[in-house]
Amino acid sequence: MSTLLQQLANGVVQGALIALIALGYTMVYGIIQLINFAHGEVFMVGAYGGLATYTWLVPEAVKDVWYVSLPLVLLGGVAISVVVALLMERFAYRPLRNAPRLAPLITALGVSVFLQEFVRNFYPNATAALPFPGAFVQGQLSLGPIKISWTGVLLIFVSIILSLLLQTYINRSRMGRAMRATAQDPDTAKLMGVNPDRVIVLTFVLGAALAGVAGVLFGTYYTNINTDMGFQTGIFAFTAAVLGGVGSIRGAVVGAFIIGLVKTLAGQYMPGGTSYDYVWIFVVLILVLVFRPQGLFGEPERVRA
């Protein structure tokens, strides 16, 4: 029983990380129906941006003061992720906005490979995994047989709070209403005074900011980063978005926690162990889509006249 409880706790931490990335996938698809496969690399460059900030910009005197260094590292990671996402949207996706869907999809794959190779070739020593500073309180929280590092607790807390803030922003703010209107019918929203370019740019910025936070917290939790982390974690995040219903904020978060739990429990109890956790994740996804093709919280796709 203690092993089961510990794996459940580990799954919640994994789900919290995946949720921050899955939100970017689901927001971009909800607005412009683009599956942005390069979003995992936005998460990856956020981690490297945070590491660069800690290495070269954070003063030596405050590197060991987590409540000073961690916000600076998060700010650096978010800034790099947002800049990369803005460049991606402006030069890779905007020219193809009215092109057939296959064109931006292939472009997204190309951008993903480009970002991986760019970081691998130009970031110092990025050809191998790099150690990431433990820029938070060390030690563990013990709840009976369950032990969670304080970084894991921070990851869960930040993920839930940011998800709730994002949901509130989309539901309550003026720009949030513009985003929902654009997602439902961009042509009508434009006639009602909504600037679609501004909405799309904001969507990329919000998704990239969440991915940047996730990248820094990933490095802090696992204590190392590599250029493949975006592709690997991005697969889980994309699967979570599809499982929950692409376009649904709540669905992306719920799907992420389901994926996190399936990953850790399958690795512990299912045949093949962690080598086959991908298999069991996609088995769950297929079963859900067979009976509910739009995902757990998605709505059936409407054909626009």
Side-chain angles (χ1 to χ4, degrees), residues 125-240:
N125 302 316
T127 52
L130 294 177
F132 200 94
F136 191 59
V137 177
Q138 303 301 305
Q140 296 179 322
L141 171 65
S142 297
L143 299 172
I146 302 174
K147 292 180 173 57
I148 307 176
S149 68
W150 285 112
T151 306
V153 175
L154 174 67
L155 185 51
I156 296 171
F157 176 79
V158 169
S159 179
I160 292 174
I161 293 299
L162 291 182
S163 299
L164 292 174
L165 289 175
L166 178 64
Q167 183 73 64
T168 302
Y169 178 79
I170 291 176
N171 288 338
R172 302 286 181 86
S173 70
R174 181 182 180 86
M175 185 56 73
R177 290 193 293 272
M179 293 171 69
R180 286 185 285 128
T182 304
Q184 291 176 6
D185 192 328
D187 295 329
T188 303
K190 189 173 183 179
L191 292 174
M192 300 300 293
V194 174
N195 186 331
D197 287 336
R198 185 181 302 172
V199 169
I200 292 169
V201 166
L202 178 62
T203 302
F204 273 88
V205 167
L206 291 176
L210 293 172
V213 171
V216 171
L217 294 182
F218 176 98
T220 305
Y221 182 74
Y222 289 104
T223 69
N224 67 82
I225 58 175
N226 60 75
T227 53
D228 294 327
M229 59 185 274
F231 177 76
Q232 295 170 352
T233 313
I235 289 178
F236 293 136
F238 173 68
T239 306

